[in-house]
Amino acid sequence: MAQDFDRAMREALADAVGFVAGALAGWWLGRQFGIDFIATTDWNARQMAGLVLIVGGCGVGRFVARKLMLKDRP
């Protein structure tokens, strides 16, 4: 029972850290391309591309964090 709780807590921490770090990385990447989704109120193709970068960063960050934080655990 304690091992299940420990594993669940590690997974939750990996998800949270990966999600936030990935979102920030996606936002930063968008800003490097000149697309700042957060700062504008327009809804056009550029803003949608910025949103896709942020959402994609969330997924990639979560995947990478899980691989790094849970690699040596069963």
Side-chain angles (χ1 to χ4, degrees), residues 4-5 8 10 18 24 27 29-31 34 36-37 53 64:
D4 292 337
F5 179 75
R10 284 194 321 268
L24 289 173
W27 178 49
L29 186 62
R31 288 190 58 178
D36 193 357
F37 176 78
L53 286 171
V64 169

Side-chain angles (χ1 to χ4, degrees), residues 1-60:
M1 177 90 170
Q3 290 177 349
D4 292 337
F5 179 75
D6 184 46
R7 171 112 178 134
M9 289 303 291
R10 284 194 321 268
E11 287 178 1
L13 180 63
D15 288 349
V17 168
F19 190 81
V20 171
L24 289 173
W27 178 49
W28 177 82
L29 186 62
R31 288 190 58 178
Q32 297 305 310
F33 289 135
I35 306 167
D36 193 357
F37 176 78
I38 305 296
T40 59
T41 59
D42 296 338
W43 285 95
N44 54 31
R46 288 178 55 86
Q47 301 315 98
M48 289 296 118
L51 181 60
V52 166
L53 286 171
I54 292 171
V55 172
C58 290
V60 170

